[in-house]
Amino acid sequence: MRLKRQKRHRKTVRFFTACFGFRDPFKVLCDGTFIHHLVAHDISPVDTVLANLLGAEVKIFTTRCVLAELGRLGSAYSGSLSAARNIMPARCDHEKRKSAVDCISEIIGENNAEHFFVATQDADMRKKFHEIPGVPLIFGLRNALLLDPLSKSQRYFAKSAEEERLHLNDLELKMLNMKKYSRPVIKAEDTPDMQEGVDQKFLGSKTLKLSGEKKKTDLKDKVQFKRKKAKGPNPLSCKKKKTQGNQNNTPKKEIKDAEQTVRSRSRKRKRSRKSKTVESTINQ
């Protein structure tokens, strides 16, 4: 149950951040009934509990009218009054103190421009703020704090706002439905001077092809592509061609030198003369 509740709370917070522009740190405006509920059920620290509920940092506010209302209730609410005095007061310009419902409703107004989360235990106040689309509500249930689920008016407002974004505005429709200048029909009886005057009047710098004439169109908006011409190979990456004349006209001196080197390299066989000395000794 706790995981489902957390998922539901995340969805509601995403709804108000996406549709109404709520940003962290979130501002929570508390009335006297909510502060009394926190004190009675010993829910503390309030900052961390609300931060875990909304998934971001929180700033807690109350009003001077709420403090005055708690002071009128007597000693039974003295603990909640002392706790409320430790909370930052929101801007409340009422010289004569009003009820908490009227004070908070005036601060929020019709659009909730300051993006307050309203924390209350009053059922009538919750019904009243359900009609205003951009007001998220927080209430307490025993030891837990909960976000009030989205009302029908809030969902309807979100759908209608999304549809308005999809459709075109009046200004955009006017821009699309602008009247285009149409070129008048030129008769054969009209002189060429009159034709040129009409072209310059209605077409400006653009020139179109007339009957029997060939004129170039000066369209600046049209993209002009250049054709790539065939290029030759890179001369640095190519080897030089060998000419046949250089092969046949080799000098004779180089050929003779080559033959001599080959002959000089060939080894001469040396014959041993030991056999002749041996024969001469035998004969003697």
Side-chain angles (χ1 to χ4, degrees):
M1 290 295 290
R2 190 175 291 177
L3 290 172
K4 290 182 180 179
R5 195 184 298 165
Q6 287 177 358
K7 287 181 181 179
R8 191 177 70 239
H9 292 165
R10 286 174 189 171
K11 285 182 181 179
T12 53
V13 171
R14 285 175 192 167
F15 173 81
F16 286 104
T17 53
C19 297
F20 299 101
F22 281 73
R23 296 288 179 270
D24 58 335
F26 296 121
K27 295 186 286 186
V28 181
L29 186 61
C30 304
D31 70 339
T33 58
F34 185 77
I35 295 167
H36 181 69
H37 179 82
L38 295 174
V39 173
H41 290 85
D42 196 13
I43 299 171
S44 62
V46 184
D47 297 338
T48 57
V49 175
L50 288 171
N52 292 329
L53 176 67
L54 302 178
E57 293 182 1
V58 170
K59 291 182 179 180
I60 304 171
F61 295 91
T62 188
T63 61
R64 293 176 182 175
C65 295
V66 172
L67 294 171
E69 190 177 34
L70 287 171
R72 289 191 220 110
L73 294 173
S75 60
Y77 290 87
S78 60
S80 57
L81 179 61
S82 62
R85 284 173 179 169
N86 295 325
I87 298 171
M88 288 186 292
R91 188 174 180 180
C92 175
D93 297 332
H94 301 134
E95 294 179 359
K96 294 181 180 180
R97 300 302 176 207
K98 294 184 177 182
S99 64
V101 178
D102 295 334
C103 179
I104 291 170
S105 60
E106 284 186 9
I107 288 170
I108 286 169
E110 297 180 356
N111 300 321
N112 192 10
E114 295 187 4
H115 303 299
F116 278 114
F117 283 79
V118 178
T120 181
Q121 295 294 112
D122 191 354
D124 295 332
M125 188 186 288
R126 285 167 60 187
K127 287 180 182 178
K128 183 178 180 180
F129 287 128
H130 271 308
E131 297 176 358
I132 300 171
V135 182
L137 297 169
I138 300 171
F139 66 97
L141 185 64
R142 296 177 184 175
N143 294 328
L145 299 180
L146 303 174
L147 264 172
D148 212 354
L150 299 173
S151 63
K152 292 181 180 179
S153 62
Q154 290 172 349
R155 291 177 180 173
Y156 178 76
F157 180 82
K159 287 182 180 179
S160 62
E162 189 175 356
E163 288 177 357
E164 286 179 359
R165 289 172 193 165
L166 294 173
H167 295 295
L168 296 172
N169 297 329
D170 295 334
L171 194 144
E172 292 175 349
L173 288 170
K174 286 180 182 179
M175 291 175 69
L176 290 173
N177 295 326
M178 285 176 68
K179 293 182 180 179
K180 297 179 181 180
Y181 291 105
S182 59
R183 187 185 171 194
V185 180
I186 300 170
K187 297 180 181 179
E189 297 175 356
D190 295 336
T191 59
D193 296 333
M194 292 177 67
Q195 290 179 0
E196 290 178 359
V198 169
D199 289 336
Q200 292 177 359
K201 183 178 179 181
F202 289 94
L203 301 176
S205 62
K206 294 182 180 180
T207 58
L208 301 175
K209 290 184 180 180
L210 298 173
S211 59
E213 293 180 0
K214 293 182 179 180
K215 294 185 178 180
K216 296 180 180 179
T217 57
D218 297 333
L219 298 175
K220 294 182 180 179
D221 297 334
K222 190 174 181 181
V223 182
Q224 295 180 358
F225 296 98
K226 293 182 179 180
R227 291 183 180 179
K228 293 183 178 179
K229 296 180 180 179
K231 297 180 180 179
N234 189 1
L236 298 173
S237 63
C238 298
K239 292 182 179 181
K240 293 182 179 180
K241 293 181 180 180
K242 294 180 180 180
T243 56
Q244 295 179 0
N246 293 329
Q247 293 178 359
N248 296 327
N249 296 326
T250 53
K252 294 180 180 180
K253 291 181 179 180
E254 292 179 359
I255 295 168
K256 290 179 179 180
D257 294 334
E259 290 178 355
Q260 288 177 1
T261 53
V262 171
R263 288 175 184 176
S264 62
R265 286 178 185 175
S266 61
R267 293 179 180 179
K268 293 181 180 181
R269 186 175 179 183
K270 294 180 179 181
R271 294 180 181 180
S272 61
R273 295 181 180 180
K274 290 181 181 181
S275 60
K276 290 181 179 180
T277 55
V278 171
E279 289 177 359
S280 61
T281 53
I282 292 166
N283 293 325
Q284 289 177 0

